[in-house]
Amino acid sequence: MIARALRWLMLLQLLAVLGVAWLLLQAGVRPGALALLLALAALLLVRALIVGRNFWHSRRFGCAPAPHGLTAAGAARLFFGEVGANLRTSSWGMLRPRLSPVAEATPGALPVLLVHGYVCNRGFWAPLSRRLAQAGIVHGAVDLEPVNAGIDDFVPLVAQAVDALLAQTGARQVIIVAHSMGGLVARAFLRRHGLRQVARVITLGTPHHGTALANLAVGRNARQMSRPGGKPNGWLAQLDADETPQLRALFTSIWSHHDNIVAPQASSHLPGATNIALGGVGHVALAADPRVLQQVLSEITIVSEVGTAAFAHQYG
C-alpha cells in the first residue's frame, strides 16, 4: 500500500518537474537541459524545506544540551544528512520494499525482526538489511498496515512475523529492532504476548513518551503518540503503567539529541532500559548512520552469544 502510494507520488513529482521545466522554457530559459535541471532543483528545495520545517518544529519543543551543541558545519551535516536519508528512503528504498538475502547464516546468531515506523514499509530498512545479510544474520520485517490503524492493531502482524522467524530458523527467541513508532508496537506486542519469545528490543528514535509533532499528524496511531498539553497521550501513559522492570530491562533505546521528529528529544529516553544518546543525527538518518548500525550489530552479537544460556536459565 505504501509502495503503491509512493509510486503515484513519484509520478506526480515527475510531472511537476516536467511542468516547471516547460514553463521555464516558455520563459526563455535555454538550453532545455538547464530548464530541466532548475526544475529538479526546485523539487529538491521543496523536499528540503519540508525537512527544515520539521527541524523548526522540533526545536520549539526540545533543545540539545551543551555537550551536544553543533557547530555550523555540524548543523549542515545534520540537515543535509537527514534530507539525503529522506530522499533515499522515500524515493528508492520504500518504492521497492525488499530485504537483502542471507547467503549463509551465522551459527548461533539469533534472528532479527525489523519493525518500521509511521507511514513506512519494510523498504525503510535497506541499509540495515544489507549489514545484517553481510553478517549472516537471518532477518525478517513487517509492513504495518493499514497505516492509520491503532498501534495495538499492529500487534498480530508482529506476532505472526515472530512465529515465522522462529519456525524458519529453529531459534527460541528473536531480537526486535524497531524505528520510531515501531518501538511502541514492540512494547505493545510484549504487553500482550509476554517476554518468552524476545531476547532483546533495540529501538531507534522511538517517542517512548510521545512527540509533539504527532499532534500535527493523522491516524489513530498518531493520536496515541501525541502529547496533548505537553504530556503523553493516555494510551502511552497506560503502556508505561503496564510494564515491569523485567520488561524494560530488555530494551536498548538509541536516540539523538537532534531528532527532528521526536520532540522533546528526551522522549526517547526509556527509564529502566539501556539508553544510548547520540548527537548530530536526524530521525530518518538514525537507521542508516554508521555509528548506529555498528551499535545495533554489536548488540545483536552480544545478545546472541548469551541468549541461549539466558533462555535456559530463565525458562528452563
Side-chain angles (χ1 to χ4, degrees):
M1 180 178 175
I2 288 294
R4 187 182 308 115
L6 284 173
R7 291 187 191 106
W8 279 107
L9 183 59
M10 287 293 293
L11 177 60
L12 290 175
Q13 291 180 75
L14 174 62
L15 293 175
V17 167
L18 294 176
V20 171
W22 182 82
L23 291 173
L24 290 172
L25 286 171
Q26 300 308 303
V29 175
R30 295 290 187 279
L34 176 60
L36 187 61
L37 184 62
L38 291 173
L40 180 60
L43 173 63
L44 294 176
L45 177 60
V46 171
R47 298 288 297 269
L49 287 173
I50 293 172
V51 173
R53 181 201 61 182
N54 290 337
F55 273 112
W56 179 78
H57 278 302
S58 69
R59 290 289 291 178
R60 292 170 56 202
F61 301 101
C63 183
H68 295 278
L70 295 176
T71 63
R77 285 193 296 271
L78 167 68
F79 177 74
F80 288 109
E82 183 68 2
V83 171
N86 272 271
L87 289 172
R88 288 192 302 272
T89 300
S90 64
S91 302
W92 181 249
M94 291 197 299
L95 290 177
R96 34 198 307 280
R98 62 191 68 172
L99 302 178
S100 298
V102 177
E104 184 175 353
T106 298
L110 291 177
V112 173
L113 178 64
L114 305 172
V115 185
H116 65 74
Y118 181 69
V119 193
C120 293
N121 63 22
R122 67 182 60 208
F124 175 86
W125 292 109
L128 179 55
S129 178
R130 285 193 295 271
R131 294 288 296 271
L132 293 173
Q134 291 166 2
I137 298 171
V138 176
H139 55 287
V142 293
D143 291 317
L144 303 179
E145 296 180 348
V147 296
N148 62 347
I151 291 173
D152 290 303
D153 297 329
F154 298 134
V155 169
L157 298 175
V158 174
Q160 292 169 14
V162 167
D163 289 342
L165 268 178
L166 295 179
Q168 176 187 349
T169 61
R172 292 183 288 187
Q173 290 184 304
V174 303
I175 296 170
I176 295 177
V177 179
H179 179 258
S180 195
M181 182 191 74
L184 300 178
V185 176
R187 290 172 63 188
F189 167 80
L190 291 175
R191 175 169 62 176
R192 185 179 302 179
H193 291 275
L195 314 184
R196 185 179 181 88
Q197 293 179 304
V198 179
R200 195 74 176 167
V201 181
I202 305 168
T203 65
L204 311 178
T206 289
H208 288 296
H209 310 289
T211 171
L213 271 71
N215 301 353
L216 310 175
V218 298
R220 280 181 289 161
N221 46 22
R223 290 195 298 273
Q224 290 170 324
M225 292 187 289
S226 66
R227 290 178 59 87
K231 296 181 179 180
N233 178 280
W235 184 88
L236 284 169
Q238 186 60 55
L239 184 65
D240 274 342
D242 291 340
E243 291 177 337
T244 64
Q246 182 187 19
L247 183 147
R248 288 289 181 85
L250 282 182
F251 279 77
T252 296
S253 177
I254 303 174
W255 57 281
S256 172
H257 285 290
H258 300 101
D259 196 301
N260 52 306
I261 297 296
V262 178
Q265 288 77 18
S267 175
S268 289
H269 184 279
L270 185 63
T274 299
N275 288 277
I276 301 172
L278 304 173
V281 188
H283 187 71
V284 174
L286 274 169
D289 183 85
R291 294 174 295 171
V292 176
L293 297 184
Q294 185 56 51
Q295 183 65 46
V296 170
L297 286 170
S298 296
E299 290 265 337
I300 291 169
T301 300
I302 293 170
V303 173
S304 293
E305 289 174 350
V306 302
T308 301
F311 183 94
H313 174 73
Q314 185 168 1
Y315 298 108

